[in-house]
Amino acid sequence: MFIQEGAHLGRTPAEVVSTCDITFACVADPKAAKDLVLGPSGVLQGIRPGKCYVDMSTVDPETVIELAQVIVSRGGRFLEAPVSGNQQLSNDGMLMILAAGDQGVYEDCSSCFQAMAKTSFFLGEVGNAARMMLILNMIQGSFMATIAEGMTLAQVTGQSQQTLLDILNQGQLANIFLDQKCQNILQGNFKPDFYLKYIQKDLRLAIALGDSVNHPTPMAAAANEVYKRAKALDQSDNDMSAVYRAYIH
């Protein structure tokens, strides 16, 4: 599809970077982010002075700081810009971008970010965007586990799950996320919008972030255990709302 619209296909990350002034990348986890940059024919092989590399993956701050250092050591310019949102928001160009690093690159990317996202934030030095994104996804993942816990408790105590949702939608907790995820549960439709395996990865990284500063994250730790149970039940490639299945007796 992109080639039909005029894009060129690069055979390796190095080829893409050497051809483009600004390269955007978004991969699944810290290992993939490092492999993309440091691996054979990786990004680092194509970096030249002035080339810009924008990593939009959600990873830990240590990983993104390491990548920034090696890119800059070759004369490149680096921006981390993880994205918050889901597949539908992505399709609609309504993501939220959290950026940190080279502010000049951030400004150079403004038109691209406007096409992808409804808003973006510049958070200062490299690592800050990773930290903020992990905190954001920690809250979201913990909230989803609580929603699933409430829906299953309603069921096992003889309460209507639909009525619970109706009550929630009329109260102070009403929001689009809650409604969509409860609808997934009610319909038994866990088609991935935000993969369960990725929210569990983000919870794990957020807990490690807390460990690094000796800050307690007991809610995230409890939620993480539930997602691990869901993964053991083969829910990894379903939506995060499939954490519901970890609560079913």
Side-chain angles (χ1 to χ4, degrees), residues 21-89:
D21 293 329
I22 302 175
T23 301
F24 295 90
C26 188
V27 293
D29 55 32
K31 182 181 184 304
K34 288 182 180 180
D35 288 347
L36 187 63
V37 174
L38 304 173
S41 299
V43 168
L44 200 59
Q45 303 305 312
I47 287 290
R48 300 291 181 270
K51 294 287 186 181
C52 302
Y53 185 63
V54 181
D55 193 337
M56 306 188 79
S57 315
T58 298
V59 298
D60 56 285
E62 292 78 15
T63 293
V64 79
I65 289 169
E66 178 184 347
L67 297 182
Q69 288 173 342
V70 295
I71 295 292
V72 171
S73 73
R74 296 288 180 90
R77 301 167 66 197
F78 184 87
L79 185 76
E80 59 164 333
V83 291
S84 176
N86 55 31
Q87 190 168 326
Q88 187 58 54
L89 291 174

Side-chain angles (χ1 to χ4, degrees), residues 128-154:
N128 283 342
R131 295 180 186 100
M132 189 69 83
M133 185 60 69
L134 290 177
I135 293 166
L136 187 65
N137 284 355
M138 178 188 78
I139 293 169
Q140 184 173 245
S142 299
F143 184 40
M144 182 65 249
T146 298
I147 292 169
E149 193 169 298
M151 290 289 276
T152 48
L153 184 59

Side-chain angles (χ1 to χ4, degrees), residues 1-9:
M1 180 182 74
F2 294 112
I3 293 173
Q4 291 172 354
E5 294 295 327
H8 297 285
L9 178 64

